[in-house]
Amino acid sequence: MTTIDTRFHGPITISDQDIITLDWEILGFPRERRYILLPHRADSPFLYLQSVDRPDLAFICIDPLVRVRDYHIPSEDIPRDLGPSEEWAVLCLCTIQDAQHGTINLRSPLVINRVSRRGGQFVLSVPYPIHYPLFSEEPSHAGSRP
């Protein structure tokens, strides 16, 4: 067990088994490879992807299926050594300006193998938008089908 400082939850104790290693880094953050997922709130679909090594670095993310019913990742866009798609957890990074304005990056999802706890951010060959509206009344289609 290790205690780490986090941006939104303060100091917390984690196990090494909680750590996700991003062998394929988040674009723009090549040195940050170790993260944990933390809930936003119990009733929220959002999660924080919190850096284990940098308390100030936390990304807001969401399962893309919450917003886009037909979201799909072509398996050829993901390295084979990340395992079969049945083992993947898929999250997309969000940018939130305020309670009414935000976007989700559907083009570059995080794909994490739930078994090995390895993953990364990948740019998809499907022309999903980078700034898809996050807040609207109901899930929709992203406008592009693989």
Side-chain angles (χ1 to χ4, degrees):
M1 301 299 263
T2 303
T3 299
I4 65 167
D5 289 321
T6 68
R7 182 173 177 180
F8 299 105
H9 291 279
I12 63 168
T13 301
I14 64 168
S15 165
D16 286 343
Q17 296 170 344
D18 297 329
I19 297 173
I20 297 164
T21 302
L22 298 185
D23 295 330
W24 300 269
E25 79 269 3
I26 292 177
L27 302 173
F29 296 89
R31 292 191 176 126
E32 302 308 317
R33 301 296 183 125
R34 298 180 333 134
Y35 294 86
I36 57 168
L37 284 170
L38 299 171
H40 172 247
R41 288 189 324 252
D43 62 342
S44 172
F46 297 102
L47 296 168
Y48 294 117
L49 182 71
Q50 171 68 56
S51 169
V52 170
D53 302 306
R54 277 185 56 187
D56 64 317
L57 184 61
F59 299 96
I60 299 170
C61 52
I62 192 170
D63 179 335
L65 294 174
V66 170
R67 291 294 307 124
V68 181
R69 289 184 280 229
D70 60 346
Y71 190 78
H72 172 77
I73 295 179
S75 59
E76 61 270 11
D77 287 353
I78 307 301
R80 288 182 187 264
D81 61 343
L82 199 53
S85 61
E86 296 80 27
E87 294 180 357
W88 299 347
V90 177
L91 298 169
C92 290
L93 300 181
C94 300
T95 302
I96 300 175
Q97 291 82 24
D98 57 46
Q100 297 175 340
H101 301 94
T103 61
I104 180 172
N105 179 348
L106 297 175
R107 176 60 76 78
S108 306
L110 297 169
V111 179
I112 301 164
N113 183 298
R114 291 185 303 270
V115 177
S116 68
R117 313 272 310 157
R118 294 175 53 237
Q121 184 178 33
F122 303 96
V123 178
L124 302 181
S125 60
V126 179
Y128 284 124
I130 295 172
H131 301 287
Y132 186 77
L134 182 58
F135 302 113
S136 68
E137 299 200 7
E138 62 182 62
S140 63
H141 302 282
S144 297
R145 279 201 65 117

